[in-house]
Structures are given as structure tokens and as C-alpha cells.
Amino acid sequence: MHRRFPQFTVVILLSVAAAVCQEAAPTETPKDVTKETEAGIPVTDPLTIAKCSGCHRADANKNLTRISWIRTTPEGWQEAIKRMAQLNGLQLSPEDGRHIVRYLANEHGLSPEEAEPVRWYLEMTLPQTEPVPNPTIRRACTTCHAFARPRTWRRSAAEWHLLKNMHIGYFPLSQFVAFRDMAPPGEPDAPKKPAPVDVAVEYLAKNYGLFSQSWSAWRAQSTDLDLSGRWVLSASETGKGKYFGEMTVTRTAPGEYTTATVLTRVKDGAKFQMPGKSVLYAGFEWRGSAKSEQLGALRQVMAVSADQATIQGRWFWGAYQEFGLTMKAQRESKDVTVLGTDVISLRAGSKGVPMQVFGEHFPSDLKPSEIALGAGVTATKVVSVSPTVVKLTVDTDPKVFAGKRSIAIHGRAATDAFSVYDRIEYIKITAETALAHTGGTVGKKGFIQFEAHAFSNGADGLPNTADDVDLGPIEAQWSVEEFISHNNDNDKQFV
């Protein structure tokens, strides 16, 4: 009996399994949505092939499995390579890793048009709200991360399905908290409908496929730029105000640079020396680092304009990149360059208001009539001129129309340089919301910088509408109070 019982048990189980398979057998083989059917992007770099083809098989067209059907940002490729090293045993020297990231970001990257809608995500400038196509996709994707995260990738349809499988393998709970609609315990299953994750995959495959017209056009014209030279800078920091300065860029190798940056803060005249290094990816994605004695280490994420005349983005620091400078660099010109002013806003009917205009190559004989400040604002006197600063006084018309104004000298302008208003009609605190203590694991302390901004209602006379004019930050006195939501609330100790 001891020998026959196991034999009998096995026979019964096989019979049951065979019956189940017979009953469940489909009339036709279901389509394998993870099988690649699209053309890929060949991998031609010898080092990338040598280091990656051990797991990612090459075909006759020089496609490497998975890799040839994906495009993403420099950060995306860096993250993927780190995951291969941590989970799959990939061994790379730092030099080899940088080379592969550079190659993949160049040849399997995004076009400027594709990257623009998610620049805030790359620059760590989190918005108050993020547009998501519908609540179902919000449930599937943004339960765990920003919707911008998948939008920084371009994949074939098969790769989007494989990404879903990867999530389920690495993060099993995603099925229950985000990917599927689960009926409450004791209740019948909900009516059959596509799972949220399948709705999301279908949307992403349709709208963020591997190939696009903008990428094809960009790849055809992308080239190795030479950004060497002197650049003039304008910047702003929440709570600290405006900065102006310069950056000298020296090319050390194709796509690689050293930088020497000097910034001066308008509010108090403090100077910041920032030596650094940078790499240019895909012909427009600037990624750099700099060091400041006052601020510490800064990371730079910027984009080069199509005409190569400006580089814009954010330099940030902090445990969660919560501090940062919004930066604009303009290539040095022999002509007049206007960067901005120390004035944030002017009230209608003001007389003799001092203003400083910052820039480059201002003529020593500059006259008030050569300074255009927009409708209803007049330069009345040039007090002094240096090559980089013009000091003047201005008047505003009592019936001036509220709005942003530009400053133009000899045909060169700084747009939206300051605001004009007849009265302050409301004040808004930015950021409107902020994350404080969430409990759970212990992490580094995070910070939030608030500002009080004055607003004018604009032409429609109504607050909180699209034509409202942001008059900039105003001086304010601050205090923190507990918003009582239950007994013994003590959130103040965490902020």
C-alpha cells in the first residue's frame, strides 16, 4: 500500500489536469502581445553590444532584444543600467557605464518635442496638478508615481505589455492596489471590463510608440554641438529672488564640458562661484554638476534651444532636490543683451521709481528714449550706465493697463521682465500644498519654501481666472498653526 498509494495519487492528478486542460483549451491560440512585431532601432556601438548582448540577444538586423524597442531620457537609461547591475549581475566600470548611457541617450533618446511636456519631471519641479487622460489611467499609473514617468519613455506595443509584466513581477502588490478593480470581500465580482492596467497600456502604446515624426526629424538633424564660450545668465530662486551672472563653457571632448559660473543675487549682492562639469546628450539635453561654497553640490538639468542661442532649465540641490534656481543662459553677443531688472512690479501712477536693468554691452551714452518699457511705462532719466547695469528712474501712467512688460534696448528685449498693476486684489500662497510627515520609514528631512504672491484680477475683473496678473512675491510675516483633524493632532513638530 505504501508503494501503490503515491502511484494512484499521481494518476488521479494527471487525469484531472488533463480534463481541465481539455475543458479550458481555446479554439485558437491567443495572440502573444509580448512578441515583438515592430521594426527596432539597431545597436551599433561595439561596447554596448559587448556588455549587453550576453542577455539581450542580437538578431540579423543588429537589434538587441528589449533595448532596440525602447527610447528614453539620459536618466531613464542610467536607471535601466543600474537595475541591470543590481539585479542581473552586469559589471561595468564607471567609464563604460557613462559611455553606454551616452550612446543610448543619443541614439535611443527623445526628441526635444517629446521631452518638452515632461521637462518639469526631469527638472524636479513638481506641479500642483498633473494632467492625466482619465481616472482609470490615473488609478493604474499614478497610484505609485507621476504619469510623467511612463511619458519619458517610448516603447513598441510589445514593450508596453512587457513593462506591465515587469511591474507585476517586481511589485506584486501593484495588481491589487492599482492594476485591477477588486470586488469588496463577500460581494460578487464587478461586471467584466478592461482592467485599469490594460486601459493604460493601450493608451501608452497608441500615444507613446517607438517611432514618431518628431524623433525621425530630430535624429536626421541632430549633431554634436560646440557650446564653448561665454554665456550670460539670469536666474531666480523661490524666497531669494533674482540672480544675474555669467558662465564660461570650455569643451574638453565631444559633448563634454567644464564650466565656470559666477552668479550675483540682486537682493543682497551676494556672489556665488560655481565650478562644474557637464555632458550634452542627444544634441540638446544638458546634464551637469556644479559646486558652491554656500549651496553645496548642485545638479543641472537644462535643454539647448534649436537655434543654440539659449540653454534653459533648473539647477537644484537638497535631499529631495527641493531647492533650486530656475536658469536661463544666453550665448554672449557683441550686441546689447537685456537680461532683466531688479523691479518686480510697478503701480499705476508711480513717479520717479528707481530701476536697475541688467545685461551686457550697454552703450555709455544711452538715453531714456532708447529704453522701451512697454505701454504706459516711461524711462524718465538715466542715472548711470556701466557695460552690465543701467540705473534709471521710471514713471507709470495712472490709467495703465495691468499686465506683464518687457524691457527693450536697441531692439534687444527681456520679455515679461516686470508687472504693472493698478491695485493688488488678492494674495495667494505658493506652493498651495506641500507634503509634510507621512510616517513609516525614517528619511532625510525635507523642506518647502513658501512665497506670498500679489495678484491683479486682469481685464475680466474676476479673481482666479486665466487673465490674472501675478505681481510677484511680497514681503510677509509667517506663522504655522495646527489644522485640527482629530484629537491630539501634533503635526507642527514634523514641519
Side-chain angles (χ1 to χ4, degrees), residues 381-403:
K381 180 181 180 181
V382 173
V383 177
S384 65
V385 180
S386 76
T388 58
V389 182
V390 177
K391 294 183 179 181
L392 63 153
T393 58
V394 302
D395 291 351
T396 57
D397 190 286
K399 297 183 179 180
V400 70
F401 191 81

Short mmCIF file of all heavy atoms in Angstrom, two decimals, residues 381-403:
data_model
loop_
_atom_site.label_atom_id
_atom_site.label_comp_id
_atom_site.label_asym_id
_atom_site.label_seq_id
_atom_site.Cartn_x
_atom_site.Cartn_y
_atom_site.Cartn_z
N LYS A 381 14.77 109.16 -16.72
CA LYS A 381 16.14 109.62 -16.53
C LYS A 381 17.08 108.42 -16.46
O LYS A 381 16.77 107.42 -15.81
CB LYS A 381 16.24 110.43 -15.23
CG LYS A 381 17.64 110.97 -14.93
CD LYS A 381 17.67 111.74 -13.62
CE LYS A 381 19.06 112.26 -13.32
NZ LYS A 381 19.11 113.00 -12.02
N VAL A 382 18.22 108.51 -17.14
CA VAL A 382 19.29 107.54 -17.00
C VAL A 382 20.26 108.07 -15.95
O VAL A 382 20.91 109.10 -16.16
CB VAL A 382 20.01 107.28 -18.33
CG1 VAL A 382 21.22 106.39 -18.11
CG2 VAL A 382 19.06 106.66 -19.34
N VAL A 383 20.31 107.42 -14.80
CA VAL A 383 21.13 107.89 -13.69
C VAL A 383 22.59 107.54 -13.93
O VAL A 383 23.50 108.36 -13.73
CB VAL A 383 20.64 107.29 -12.36
CG1 VAL A 383 21.53 107.71 -11.20
CG2 VAL A 383 19.19 107.68 -12.11
N SER A 384 22.86 106.29 -14.35
CA SER A 384 24.23 105.86 -14.63
C SER A 384 24.19 104.63 -15.54
O SER A 384 23.18 103.92 -15.61
CB SER A 384 24.98 105.52 -13.34
OG SER A 384 24.40 104.40 -12.69
N VAL A 385 25.32 104.44 -16.24
CA VAL A 385 25.43 103.29 -17.16
C VAL A 385 26.80 102.66 -16.99
O VAL A 385 27.82 103.35 -16.99
CB VAL A 385 25.26 103.72 -18.63
CG1 VAL A 385 25.38 102.51 -19.56
CG2 VAL A 385 23.92 104.41 -18.86
N SER A 386 26.81 101.34 -16.82
CA SER A 386 28.03 100.55 -16.94
C SER A 386 27.78 99.51 -18.03
O SER A 386 26.64 99.38 -18.49
CB SER A 386 28.37 99.87 -15.61
OG SER A 386 27.53 98.76 -15.37
N PRO A 387 28.80 98.79 -18.46
CA PRO A 387 28.56 97.79 -19.52
C PRO A 387 27.50 96.75 -19.14
O PRO A 387 26.88 96.16 -20.03
CB PRO A 387 29.93 97.15 -19.72
CG PRO A 387 30.90 98.21 -19.33
CD PRO A 387 30.25 98.94 -18.18
N THR A 388 27.27 96.53 -17.83
CA THR A 388 26.34 95.47 -17.42
C THR A 388 25.13 95.94 -16.63
O THR A 388 24.23 95.14 -16.39
CB THR A 388 27.09 94.42 -16.56
OG1 THR A 388 27.66 95.08 -15.42
CG2 THR A 388 28.19 93.74 -17.37
N VAL A 389 25.09 97.22 -16.21
CA VAL A 389 23.96 97.71 -15.41
C VAL A 389 23.60 99.13 -15.85
O VAL A 389 24.47 99.99 -15.98
CB VAL A 389 24.29 97.72 -13.90
CG1 VAL A 389 23.07 98.20 -13.11
CG2 VAL A 389 24.72 96.35 -13.41
N VAL A 390 22.29 99.33 -16.07
CA VAL A 390 21.76 100.67 -16.31
C VAL A 390 20.88 101.03 -15.13
O VAL A 390 19.96 100.27 -14.77
CB VAL A 390 20.92 100.72 -17.60
CG1 VAL A 390 20.32 102.12 -17.78
CG2 VAL A 390 21.75 100.34 -18.81
N LYS A 391 21.15 102.18 -14.50
CA LYS A 391 20.31 102.68 -13.43
C LYS A 391 19.49 103.84 -13.97
O LYS A 391 20.05 104.76 -14.59
CB LYS A 391 21.16 103.13 -12.23
CG LYS A 391 21.90 101.98 -11.56
CD LYS A 391 22.68 102.46 -10.33
CE LYS A 391 23.39 101.29 -9.65
NZ LYS A 391 24.13 101.71 -8.43
N LEU A 392 18.17 103.80 -13.76
CA LEU A 392 17.29 104.82 -14.30
C LEU A 392 16.12 105.05 -13.37
O LEU A 392 15.97 104.34 -12.36
CB LEU A 392 16.79 104.41 -15.69
CG LEU A 392 15.92 103.16 -15.80
CD1 LEU A 392 14.99 103.26 -17.01
CD2 LEU A 392 16.78 101.90 -15.95
N THR A 393 15.30 106.04 -13.70
CA THR A 393 14.03 106.24 -12.99
C THR A 393 12.91 106.13 -14.01
O THR A 393 13.08 106.47 -15.21
CB THR A 393 13.98 107.61 -12.31
OG1 THR A 393 14.16 108.64 -13.29
CG2 THR A 393 15.05 107.72 -11.23
N VAL A 394 11.74 105.66 -13.54
CA VAL A 394 10.62 105.43 -14.44
C VAL A 394 9.33 105.99 -13.84
O VAL A 394 9.18 106.08 -12.62
CB VAL A 394 10.44 103.93 -14.75
CG1 VAL A 394 11.70 103.36 -15.38
CG2 VAL A 394 10.09 103.14 -13.51
N ASP A 395 8.41 106.37 -14.73
CA ASP A 395 7.06 106.78 -14.36
C ASP A 395 6.06 105.83 -14.99
O ASP A 395 6.32 105.26 -16.07
CB ASP A 395 6.76 108.20 -14.86
CG ASP A 395 7.57 109.27 -14.14
OD1 ASP A 395 8.23 108.93 -13.13
OD2 ASP A 395 7.54 110.42 -14.60
N THR A 396 4.91 105.67 -14.33
CA THR A 396 3.83 104.87 -14.91
C THR A 396 2.58 105.73 -15.03
O THR A 396 2.28 106.55 -14.15
CB THR A 396 3.53 103.63 -14.06
OG1 THR A 396 3.20 104.03 -12.73
CG2 THR A 396 4.72 102.69 -14.02
N ASP A 397 1.85 105.52 -16.11
CA ASP A 397 0.62 106.26 -16.35
C ASP A 397 -0.45 105.86 -15.33
O ASP A 397 -0.57 104.68 -14.99
CB ASP A 397 0.12 105.94 -17.77
CG ASP A 397 -1.02 106.84 -18.19
OD1 ASP A 397 -2.15 106.64 -17.69
OD2 ASP A 397 -0.78 107.75 -19.01
N PRO A 398 -1.24 106.82 -14.82
CA PRO A 398 -2.28 106.47 -13.84
C PRO A 398 -3.33 105.51 -14.38
O PRO A 398 -3.97 104.79 -13.61
CB PRO A 398 -2.91 107.84 -13.51
CG PRO A 398 -1.86 108.84 -13.84
CD PRO A 398 -1.13 108.29 -15.02
N LYS A 399 -3.52 105.48 -15.71
CA LYS A 399 -4.52 104.61 -16.30
C LYS A 399 -3.88 103.43 -17.03
O LYS A 399 -4.45 102.89 -17.98
CB LYS A 399 -5.39 105.40 -17.26
CG LYS A 399 -6.20 106.51 -16.59
CD LYS A 399 -7.09 107.22 -17.59
CE LYS A 399 -7.91 108.32 -16.90
NZ LYS A 399 -8.80 109.03 -17.86
N VAL A 400 -2.74 103.01 -16.56
CA VAL A 400 -2.01 101.93 -17.21
C VAL A 400 -2.81 100.63 -17.15
O VAL A 400 -3.53 100.36 -16.19
CB VAL A 400 -0.63 101.75 -16.55
CG1 VAL A 400 -0.76 101.19 -15.14
CG2 VAL A 400 0.27 100.86 -17.39
N PHE A 401 -2.69 99.82 -18.21
CA PHE A 401 -3.36 98.53 -18.26
C PHE A 401 -2.50 97.49 -17.56
O PHE A 401 -1.30 97.36 -17.83
CB PHE A 401 -3.58 98.13 -19.73
CG PHE A 401 -4.49 96.95 -19.90
CD1 PHE A 401 -5.87 97.10 -19.86
CD2 PHE A 401 -3.96 95.68 -20.10
CE1 PHE A 401 -6.71 96.01 -20.03
CE2 PHE A 401 -4.79 94.59 -20.26
CZ PHE A 401 -6.18 94.76 -20.22
N ALA A 402 -3.10 96.75 -16.63
CA ALA A 402 -2.34 95.77 -15.84
C ALA A 402 -1.82 94.64 -16.72
O ALA A 402 -2.49 94.20 -17.67
CB ALA A 402 -3.21 95.20 -14.73
N GLY A 403 -0.61 94.16 -16.42
CA GLY A 403 -0.04 93.04 -17.17
C GLY A 403 1.46 93.01 -17.10
O GLY A 403 2.09 93.84 -16.45
#
